[in-house]
DNA sequence: TCGCAATCATTCGTCTGACTAACGTTCGTG
DNA sequence: CACGAACGTTAGTCAGACGAATGATTGCGA
């Protein structure tokens, strides 16, 4: 039987390619993203939704521009995300009385409940992705990745 | 002055997001990809080009379908890549006499020279991406990523 | 040996995600 | 009070991953 899906036989890739860090990053990221996206789709959610809900829970009500900065979602794309979350009743978009340019985005009670479910789901999905690694290895991996990102941020603000 | 480019202030992201492995993977992969792509662009090259050239060097002349399997590039996209490489004289596309469905792709001498330059470039770019990590940390990272990928491959062939 | 399924190269098209440009509105500040 | 900056929104570009269909060819089973 032929395999139903994507992804080459990794064994077939030449060693020079197989150990190339940038390539490994790209492939694992793609894999992880698929797992997470498919998992979230089952709960009628999207990673962007999760990012916004989490940020709202930790920061309290904020403007869309602020959400954009904190989540990394472009403010143009954020419009759609907020629309979807508002349609589902997870979030409320109200004009800011103190600054009529802004909208204040507020997490609703229902959104809070939804987030609780997503938290569990996300945890399970991360677990699925990291399954072959031990706990210390997982921490090591996230720490290394975080260091790379930190360096990245520094390199463009100087 | 406002910062010229992309990428949010990582510091602003909530901790729950900042430490999410799938998110770290996505962001670092995006970063690494940008570094590599921009670096290769300066040499009139593309990561796909590199993948194909390396594979040809290690496997000798093969068909496009075989190249597709080994590099992970889709057969349909590979057509363009081979066209570009052939235009630059790095590769030759000849019909396979033993199987008239196939093309045999051969690395030319010029392609070999080009690849030598790309090898150095790629090494430098990997170095730039991994700069904040020590040598053992780099090995650790690639090993962990490779393990994740391996597990991924297994999970869909069973 | 005939016929059917599989394989190959290729073309075209879809879908998603990152990203930019521009606009009207509102605010802060010189 | 004028001008530049920030805000939300719309529309669009561009690249990459991926699928479908086609015509040519091959191998294999009946």
């Amino acid at each position: 039987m032929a395999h139903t899906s994507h992804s080459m036989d990794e064994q077939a890739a030449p060693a020079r390619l197989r150990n190339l860090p940038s390539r490994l990053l790209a492939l694992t990221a793609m894999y992880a993203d698929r797992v997470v996206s498919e998992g979230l789709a089952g709960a009628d959610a999207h990673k962007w939704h999760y990012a916004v809900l989490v940020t709202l829970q930790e920061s309290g009500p904020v403007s869309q521009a602020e959400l954009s900065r904190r989540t990394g979602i472009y403010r143009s794309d954020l419009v759609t995300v907020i629309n979807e979350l508002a349609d589902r009743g997870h979030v409320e978009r109200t004009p800011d009385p103190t600054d009529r340019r802004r909208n204040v985005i507020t997490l609703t009670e229902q959104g809070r409940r939804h987030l609780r479910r997503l938290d569990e789901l996300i945890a399970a999905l991360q677990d699925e992705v990291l399954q072959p690694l031990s706990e210390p290895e997982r921490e090591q991996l996230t720490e290394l990745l975080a260091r790379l990102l930190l360096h990245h941020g520094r390199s463009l603000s100087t």
Side-chain angles (χ1 to χ4, degrees), chain A:
Chain A
M1 101 203 69
H3 53 158
T4 36
S5 61
H6 36 264
S7 177
M8 90 208 90
D9 183 355
E10 265 308 317
Q11 249 47 37
R16 244 151 82 230
L17 251 41
R18 234 182 318 127
N19 301 316
L20 207 58
S22 61
R23 177 175 229 259
L24 285 171
L25 277 171
L27 292 178
T28 48
M30 215 189 266
Y31 162 56
D33 198 72
R34 241 197 280 277
V35 170
V36 170
S37 293
E38 287 171 2
L40 285 178
D44 185 37
H46 194 278
K47 36 179 180 146
W48 293 337
H49 298 181
Y50 181 69
V52 165
L53 293 177
V54 166
T55 306
L56 284 178
Q57 193 180 52
E58 298 206 4
S59 311
V62 286
S63 71
Q64 293 184 197
E66 193 55 32
L67 269 179
S68 168
R69 277 175 226 117
R70 297 206 208 258
T71 60
I73 304 170
Y74 275 66
R75 64 188 207 291
S76 43
D77 297 330
L78 198 54
V79 175
T80 312
V81 177
I82 301 295
N83 284 343
E84 292 166 354
L85 287 173
D87 285 348
R88 288 161 177 73
H90 298 144
V91 126
E92 255 184 23
R93 183 200 259 126
T94 43
D96 185 339
T98 82
D99 184 341
R100 309 211 319 266
R101 288 172 302 180
R102 308 185 204 208
N103 291 333
V104 179
I105 310 300
T106 317
L107 191 56
T108 67
E109 193 45 50
Q110 187 179 349
R112 227 174 284 274
R113 273 198 303 276
H114 185 58
L115 179 52
R116 251 173 264 142
R117 247 184 301 134
L118 290 190
D119 270 328
E120 289 175 27
L121 220 188
I122 287 280
L125 294 170
Q126 302 296 311
D127 220 68
E128 180 183 342
V129 169
L130 299 178
Q131 194 187 333
L133 305 188
S134 70
E135 189 49 44
E137 283 172 333
R138 298 178 187 200
E139 284 166 20
Q140 170 100 108
L141 177 64
T142 65
E143 198 256 337
L144 292 175
L145 293 175
R147 291 244 304 281
L148 291 186
L149 269 193
L150 199 72
H151 167 260
H152 170 44
R154 296 227 183 294
S155 72
L156 48 74
S157 56
T158 32

